[in-house]
Amino acid sequence: MAPQRSGAPEPKIERSLTLHLRGDWGGANLHRICGWIAQELADRCGPYTRIATWNSRGFVDAVRAVGRGEVQVALATPAAFVTAALDGRGPYADEHYPDLRALGVLPQRDRLVVGVRRSFGVRTFAELRERKPALRVATSVNDGVNHVGVAAHALLERAGVDVTGWGGEFLSDERPFESFDHVLAGRADAIVHEAIMLPAWQEFGKDMHFLEVEPDVLEALEAEQGWPAADVADGYFPDTPAFRTLDFSDFLVLARADLPDDVAYAIAWVLGETREVIERQYRHIPPDHSPITYPLDPVAIGRTPVPLHPGAAAYYEQLEA
């Protein structure tokens, strides 16, 4: 049954639009969200509306594309990492975008975790620094664009882990699936990655010790980069107690301040009022292991780390009235 609507006026844009969105590589969640937005928005716009979704990586490249005006809307993850683009921190030091605005945030409860094969006997970062094992570490490329690779290397460096200096190596790929394959095939001794809700983690998780990130490391990453910390629940991985690590949550829907207000309102309305369209694509998966954490809450969708576009804010304000 479709969720009850809030009573916020349904948008109707008489003119026909041509919009460009940026999703992911093509076969993951950001592209699926773009398809949902395109379908529901086009239903409420002029008859010649055209909405295209461009392939993307969903990281720094997506933020730059919308900031530069190459597309009107882009999705990026994790949401908190985008705040650096507002004031020029990290990868945005040479080019930042104070006019970025959010249309909403869709929940994906994710973490960046560090796992080391149990055969190494390493349970903490202190033990890792003491033993200095030569590890083959599966993670994403550290190219200044991929948030996973950037965060993985920053976390290890801040924690005093010198993978190559200890005789190890990085096995670097773009997407998590290649990293999972390295672990499953025995090519990797450790992994630093996200997308922890995917089934592969349960398959190889029984062979891993997951290391809690030390408080001073997490505090430094938040102070310097704006990256928050979060917990992984007890038993989320096989035979693993709760631990704290880097938060890697949520899909941020981005635009610029110059997006017309009625379009921004319409997209926010789609996110909040037609959520059944996207939810039903994930209901075969338990919520805590779903790539989109359902049920979606329209009020929470409007709580974004980047300032809301005024048009989008006009929708969310009606929910809390």
Side-chain angles (χ1 to χ4, degrees):
M1 185 168 69
Q4 184 176 2
R5 290 186 173 172
S6 67
E10 182 171 351
K12 181 61 178 174
I13 298 175
E14 298 295 337
R15 68 190 184 282
S16 295
L17 305 178
T18 298
L19 291 178
H20 295 267
L21 316 182
R22 272 184 73 137
D24 53 51
W25 310 284
N29 302 291
L30 303 188
H31 244 57
R32 184 174 287 188
I33 292 167
C34 285
W36 162 41
I37 292 171
Q39 172 180 291
E40 297 301 319
L41 182 61
D43 284 350
R44 295 165 175 84
C45 295
Y48 307 111
T49 292
R50 299 180 302 165
I51 304 175
T53 298
W54 290 87
N55 291 64
S56 183
R57 297 167 70 185
F59 303 124
V60 172
D61 63 309
V63 179
R64 286 179 177 155
V66 76
R68 293 170 177 172
E70 296 170 4
V71 297
Q72 286 84 25
V73 178
L75 277 82
T77 187
F81 280 43
V82 179
T83 60
L86 294 170
D87 54 13
R89 286 173 288 127
Y92 306 101
D94 296 329
E95 182 182 352
H96 66 287
Y97 315 105
D99 61 343
L100 280 180
R101 296 295 180 266
L103 304 178
V105 64
L106 295 169
Q108 183 194 47
R109 299 294 174 253
D110 202 359
R111 310 288 183 259
L112 188 86
V113 299
V114 180
V116 180
R117 287 203 188 274
R118 296 190 180 202
S119 58
F120 284 83
V122 171
R123 295 176 177 268
T124 67
F125 275 100
E127 292 178 351
L128 191 58
R129 290 190 295 269
E130 178 184 356
R131 300 181 188 184
K132 298 180 174 58
L135 296 174
R136 299 168 297 171
V137 180
T139 189
S140 286
V141 292
N142 182 28
D143 61 356
V145 175
N146 187 305
H147 283 155
V148 179
V150 168
H153 282 258
L155 188 158
L156 293 175
E157 181 179 355
R158 175 59 68 172
V161 177
D162 187 358
V163 171
T164 56
W166 298 346
E169 64 175 322
F170 287 102
L171 305 178
S172 300
D173 295 281
E174 171 66 11
R175 291 182 284 272
F177 310 105
E178 294 89 349
S179 295
F180 299 161
D181 287 343
H182 288 314
V183 177
L184 291 167
R187 294 187 294 270
D189 312 305
I191 184 168
V192 186
H193 230 296
E194 48 92 53
I196 64 171
M197 74 294 299
L198 295 179
W201 287 97
Q202 299 302 314
E203 187 174 350
F204 61 69
K206 61 183 180 296
D207 298 323
M208 294 281 170
H209 286 311
F210 291 94
L211 310 189
E212 180 161 76
V213 182
E214 293 151 327
D216 62 318
V217 173
L218 292 172
E219 290 165 7
L221 292 174
E222 182 157 27
E224 295 166 8
Q225 305 282 356
W227 300 344
D231 294 328
V232 176
D234 181 54
Y236 191 88
F237 297 122
D239 303 319
T240 301
F243 64 97
R244 196 157 182 80
T245 188
L246 198 62
D247 195 5
F248 224 74
S249 293
D250 301 339
F251 304 137
L252 188 61
V253 186
L254 283 170
R256 294 196 317 189
D258 59 1
L259 185 73
D261 283 358
D262 59 349
V263 178
Y265 175 91
I267 293 174
W269 188 94
V270 164
L271 298 179
E273 303 294 322
T274 72
R275 57 196 184 275
E276 164 72 13
V277 174
I278 195 74
E279 281 186 12
R280 64 180 176 232
Q281 299 181 46
Y282 293 92
R283 289 209 188 105
H284 61 290
I285 308 170
D288 61 343
H289 283 82
S290 172
I292 289 182
T293 308
Y294 64 88
L296 299 179
D297 175 4
V299 173
I301 292 172
R303 296 176 182 146
T304 58
V306 169
L308 280 168
H309 188 290
Y315 164 70
Y316 296 113
E317 287 166 0
Q318 296 179 74
L319 306 180
E320 299 182 334

